[in-house]
Amino acid sequence: MPYHASRRSLLTAAAVAAVTAAGAVSYALGAFSDDPARPARSPGPGPGPGGDSRPGSPPPGGRGPGPSPDLAQLRRVVAGMSLTEQVGQLFVSRVFGHSATEPDAKGAERNQKQFGVRTAAELVSRYHLGGIILFSWADNTRAPQQVAELSAGLQKAAAGTGAGIPLLLSIDQEHGAVARIGKPATLLPGAMALGARSGKGSATAEARRAARIAGTELAAMGIRQDYAPVADVNVNPDNPVIGVRSFGSDPKAVASLVAAQVRGYQGAGVAATAKHFPGHGDTETDSHVGLPVMQHTRAQWEELDEPPFRAAVEAGVDAVMTAHIVFPALDPSGDPATLSQPIVTGILRERLGFRGVVVTDALDMAGVRQKYGDDRVPVLALKAGCDQLLNPPDLDLAFRSVVKAVESGELSQTRIAESVLRILELKARRGLFDRDQTLAAKVDGVVGTASHLAAADEIAAGTTTLLANPRKLLPIDPSKGPSLLVTGNDAASPSGTTGPPTVVLAKELTALGCKATALPPARAVAAAPGNAAVLVCTYNVAEGEDEQRDLVTQLVATGVPVVLVATRNPYDPARLPTCAAELATYSWTDVEMRAAARVVTGAARPSGRLPVAVPDRYPLGHGLAYG
């Protein structure tokens, strides 16, 4: 049965203002004013290590920029909430549809089937939700203006029911391989592409700049938490789930870039979320479909996996996401880290001193569901020390299970209140209680602006890595109008709004003066003769894979110079025949393909350096330049 509760009188004096027709959402809690004329209050004591309330311990939440919340007032708010209102704040759920109140027939049907309600607004009201995660597959992200209107509608629903606490709207907008909002929003280079700049002094500045742009655009659409940056150190070429989502394999370089992105996102008013603690970079199982086991020793964890998370904490990160992985050296129980008290409380809270919000990775993933049922997982996550429960497969079951655990005494209401306080402090720090968010009016002047798009191209220009060029084939002089053939693997765009990559690459090469044609692999080999070169895009070539290897082999056999463009993992060249030139782009969205075209033609000079080693082929830091 769903839970309902009346609005608490405590919040009457801090009433939530009405949402205007223009989509403005204005929450007013006078104690949280960020008026510069108002003296700042010192935060009161907050939960200490392990989630207790030791006087004098640092406050919950990040230490990044933002108004300093009045913790005494927040505690009064929490104390005035009913149990069901408090439990609702712990959950971050998916919803279906492009509108909070008027989804299309398919969205309404999906909401009805999974939640027993027709609209997202009804779901927020029914469970007093603390947050919503937006997905492209859930039809939440059609366009920036629509996302802003959806955000405003969801906030209106939160304002009018239960305790009236604003929602924390979140998204996986890592850029590169993982993006939920595409054009006309700015798509930036992903983590490993940014890591390829690590040999340059501007690497951290560019990483921070990218995050600041990304955060600014998300905030304009009403999204105040991004599940980024990835703090995993990718030391396993066969890692099926992290790969280019990581900045690289050097823990020091990764730590520096993670800290830079934390400051960039939070400087834009968006909560950064370092993930996936305690580290997912050396696994061969995808936690979406199985339960990975991390075999690092404790000493290896301290050397390889810990530094980026420590750097994120020291940079004031608002949130840390747990990993659904077993890490025997840190907890021999066999429980995934998300459900591990020794890892979440003992290491993240006590060893690293993190006082912010701990969010689980999605609870519908197989990695967290193999050992316990969906009724136990949310309870065990809270007992481990987590605060936010992300995307449970059965929201009603998860909600009832947490309430039942409190009523039975398995979880104390004090423990629930501690997590709610951390969540509300994060919301206050990110301005959700007291900033007017006229979302629709902000989008056009912020999202996908000419300056942001130009900055994305500038950042990408230094990421493309020239791996091999033994015959000095590159750069190809476009002034002679050479005929080029572009073919290979056309992976679907992360956002579903760009690509295909071979077409984008050919179009950009043509714009630069070449005569480039994109053809599917089935036609490419026959069409290769007569071209100055063939550019073949590869995508995550697996050990022993025949299809992409056969294509490259056949193209090389034509005698036409072949330029290999590894569009995702840079490990592809080690599994393919040697080509006349080899490039790594680290992703296949438009910005990376444009950058590759500029390098191929000499419009940009290659300056990227491998942020990982390519076994038996190229060392960490390898990258060529034009002489």
Side-chain angles (χ1 to χ4, degrees):
M1 292 290 292
Y3 288 81
H4 300 272
S6 62
R7 185 180 179 85
R8 290 279 149 175
S9 59
L10 179 64
L11 284 179
T12 301
V16 181
V19 178
T20 69
V25 182
S26 179
Y27 289 94
L29 274 174
F32 306 144
S33 172
D34 57 353
D35 182 348
R38 180 178 179 274
R41 300 192 185 188
S42 299
D52 61 5
S53 298
R54 302 174 190 172
S57 61
R63 293 165 289 175
S68 297
D70 185 328
L71 291 183
Q73 173 71 353
L74 283 178
R75 289 191 181 93
R76 290 193 291 272
V77 171
V78 174
M81 297 167 68
S82 69
L83 173 60
T84 54
E85 288 169 349
Q86 289 186 10
V87 170
Q89 285 297 304
L90 308 179
F91 284 96
V92 181
S93 178
R94 66 197 175 280
V95 295
F96 296 100
H98 70 289
S99 167
T101 56
E102 298 178 2
D104 59 22
K106 184 178 180 181
E109 180 182 354
R110 295 170 82 182
N111 282 325
Q112 189 67 47
K113 181 178 180 180
Q114 294 201 21
F115 305 117
V117 298
R118 180 179 175 276
T119 71
E122 292 175 73
L123 186 69
V124 170
S125 176
R126 175 171 291 194
Y127 293 100
H128 318 289
L129 291 176
I132 294 289
I133 179 172
L134 303 182
F135 290 107
S136 51
W137 56 260
D139 194 26
N140 301 146
T141 59
R142 293 182 180 180
Q145 195 80 24
Q146 167 268 320
V147 173
E149 292 168 357
L150 172 61
S151 299
L154 291 169
Q155 295 291 14
K156 181 177 181 179
T161 60
I165 302 295
L167 289 163
L168 185 60
L169 302 181
S170 59
I171 199 166
D172 281 301
Q173 189 79 352
E174 298 173 12
H175 291 270
V178 177
R180 311 299 186 198
I181 303 173
K183 287 183 175 179
T186 304
L187 289 174
L188 293 139
M192 193 169 284
L194 294 171
R197 298 185 62 103
S198 61
K200 303 177 70 177
S202 63
T204 55
E206 292 291 63
R208 182 170 182 170
R209 181 187 184 194
R212 184 67 179 250
I213 291 169
T216 299
E217 295 199 0
L218 289 176
M221 291 180 275
I223 300 168
R224 290 305 183 98
Q225 182 173 18
D226 194 9
Y227 297 127
V230 171
D232 305 312
V233 180
N234 197 80
V235 295
N236 188 341
D238 295 317
N239 193 320
V241 67
I242 303 302
V244 295
R245 298 168 63 197
S246 163
F247 290 105
S249 62
D250 179 351
K252 291 183 179 179
V254 173
S256 176
L257 294 168
V258 165
Q261 289 228 302
V262 166
R263 296 185 176 102
Y265 279 115
Q266 295 184 181
V270 170
T273 307
K275 61 185 186 184
H276 307 78
F277 190 81
H280 207 322
D282 192 9
T283 61
E284 295 185 5
T285 301
D286 182 346
S287 51
H288 291 86
V289 298
L291 180 57
V293 178
M294 190 75 154
Q295 299 293 359
H296 287 184
T297 65
R298 176 67 181 243
Q300 287 174 319
W301 176 80
E302 291 176 0
E303 178 184 358
L304 294 173
D305 305 296
E306 180 185 21
F309 290 101
R310 180 174 292 281
V313 172
E314 291 174 354
V317 70
D318 280 344
V320 172
M321 178 181 284
T322 61
H324 302 328
I325 62 171
V326 172
F327 209 131
L330 304 184
D331 180 358
S333 71
D335 285 345
T338 297
L339 311 182
S340 169
Q341 194 272 347
I343 291 176
V344 177
T345 297
I347 297 178
L348 180 56
R349 295 258 187 238
E350 296 177 355
R351 176 183 170 88
L352 298 186
F354 181 58
R355 300 292 184 267
V357 169
V358 178
V359 56
T360 70
D361 206 343
L363 297 183
D364 63 345
M365 293 166 59
V368 79
R369 302 174 71 189
Q370 290 195 356
K371 188 173 180 180
Y372 302 99
D374 292 336
D375 59 332
R376 294 298 299 156
V377 166
V379 175
L380 295 174
L382 292 169
K383 293 179 74 172
C386 297
D387 302 304
Q388 285 184 312
L389 305 169
L390 178 62
N391 203 29
D394 186 333
L395 176 60
D396 191 68
L397 175 63
F399 189 98
R400 288 187 288 109
S401 297
V402 173
V403 172
K404 181 179 178 181
V406 176
E407 292 174 342
S408 70
E410 183 179 7
L411 285 169
S412 69
Q413 193 155 359
T414 299
R415 170 68 191 87
I416 300 300
E418 289 169 350
S419 284
V420 175
L421 179 63
R422 292 190 189 103
I423 293 166
L424 296 194
E425 197 269 351
L426 188 158
K427 291 180 178 183
R429 186 176 296 280
R430 295 299 144 226
L432 286 170
F433 285 103
D434 54 11
R435 287 181 183 168
D436 179 47
Q437 301 173 66
T438 311
L439 302 175
K442 291 181 179 179
V443 170
D444 291 341
V446 175
V447 179
T449 61
S451 62
H452 284 179
L453 295 173
D457 280 329
E458 289 173 8
I459 294 168
T463 64
T464 303
T465 305
L466 179 61
L467 301 174
N469 193 26
R471 296 190 232 168
K472 305 299 182 184
L473 173 66
L474 301 182
I476 294 172
D477 185 357
S479 68
K480 299 177 181 179
S483 294
L484 302 176
L485 177 64
V486 182
T487 188
N489 193 309
D490 270 329
S493 169
S495 64
T497 60
T498 59
T502 59
V503 174
V504 175
L505 182 55
K507 182 179 179 180
E508 186 68 14
L509 288 167
T510 298
L512 291 166
C514 301
K515 298 174 183 176
T517 303
L519 287 178
R523 297 171 54 193
V525 176
N531 286 282
V534 177
L535 284 78
V536 57
C537 296
T538 63
Y539 180 93
N540 288 11
V541 178
E543 189 69 42
E545 181 189 332
D546 292 330
E547 186 175 357
Q548 294 188 78
R549 169 178 276 277
D550 288 348
L551 174 62
V552 175
T553 299
Q554 292 171 35
L555 289 170
V556 170
T558 67
V560 178
V562 175
V563 179
L564 176 68
V565 183
T567 63
R568 184 165 176 163
N569 286 345
Y571 310 111
D572 289 359
R575 295 169 177 171
L576 295 168
T578 301
C579 296
E582 296 174 354
L583 298 170
T585 66
Y586 310 102
S587 189
W588 60 105
T589 54
D590 290 11
V591 69
E592 285 94 348
M593 292 297 96
R594 289 196 300 268
R598 293 197 299 274
V599 167
V600 166
T601 60
R605 303 182 70 82
S607 58
R609 299 291 182 267
L610 277 174
V612 295
V614 177
D616 303 319
R617 199 67 171 268
Y618 303 117
L620 174 71
H622 172 77
L624 304 178
Y626 293 148

